[in-house]
Amino acid sequence: MKFKAIAAAVVVAGMGVTSVLAQEGTHESRSALMKKVGGSAGAMTAIAKGEKPYDAEVVKAALTTISETAKVFPDQFKPGTETGDKAASPKIWEKMDDFKARAAKLGSDAEKILAQLPADAAGVGGALKTLGANCGGCHENYRIKTD
């Protein structure tokens, strides 16, 4: 169990390095942060689907990453960074208060789930529904699909 906790900590720390390497306010920095969230959601999804066994340390690390990332993500959209990112809708800067509120809600929901940590795969699935609704709502309003 200690190995899993150490491995989870290494993964989370490694994800943090990615955001440091990318210049703040660029598509790369925004993408690096979203990849952290996506990786965390992916780890939880594997547990919820039964592809990986339930592991409280993995769930804690994922929720912590989501919470911490949600707190800093809006800072990547300062005035003057509106250009050069084809995935970021101009609505972000037009409705910055709503954008920040959505990020804050994602962070807050992740913290609430962390405080009452799901005890099994079904609980992780329920947590993903809550977090996924936050992510989906923000993407629907503020992300331009580039694929």
Side-chain angles (χ1 to χ4, degrees):
M1 187 66 143
K2 285 184 181 181
F3 176 75
K4 289 180 183 180
I6 292 169
V10 168
V11 168
V12 171
M15 290 178 183
V17 170
T18 305
S19 64
V20 171
L21 297 176
Q23 185 178 357
E24 191 173 288
T26 64
H27 173 74
E28 290 79 20
S29 66
R30 296 167 185 162
S31 234
L33 289 170
M34 284 295 94
K35 285 179 182 178
K36 287 173 61 172
V37 171
S40 295
M44 291 176 61
T45 298
I47 291 171
K49 288 183 173 181
E51 296 167 358
K52 299 277 184 180
Y54 174 83
D55 185 329
E57 294 305 317
V58 170
V59 176
K60 286 179 190 177
L63 290 168
T64 299
T65 297
I66 292 168
S67 173
E68 291 174 357
T69 303
K71 290 175 187 171
V72 300
F73 190 65
D75 296 339
Q76 300 300 308
F77 297 87
K78 292 182 172 134
T81 63
E82 297 90 340
T83 60
D85 189 342
K86 295 177 182 176
S89 171
K91 293 178 188 176
I92 293 169
W93 291 271
E94 295 166 8
K95 299 179 179 181
M96 184 56 75
D97 288 342
D98 180 63
F99 183 71
K100 287 181 178 181
R102 288 173 182 271
K105 182 166 180 356
L106 173 62
S108 174
D109 284 350
E111 288 172 6
K112 287 177 189 171
I113 295 165
L114 186 58
Q116 295 183 336
L117 192 68
D120 57 20
V124 173
L128 282 167
K129 286 181 183 178
T130 298
L131 299 174
N134 288 320
C135 294
C138 198
H139 282 200
E140 185 177 308
N141 287 296
Y142 298 116
R143 182 173 183 240
I144 298 171
K145 292 185 182 183
T146 58
D147 302 334

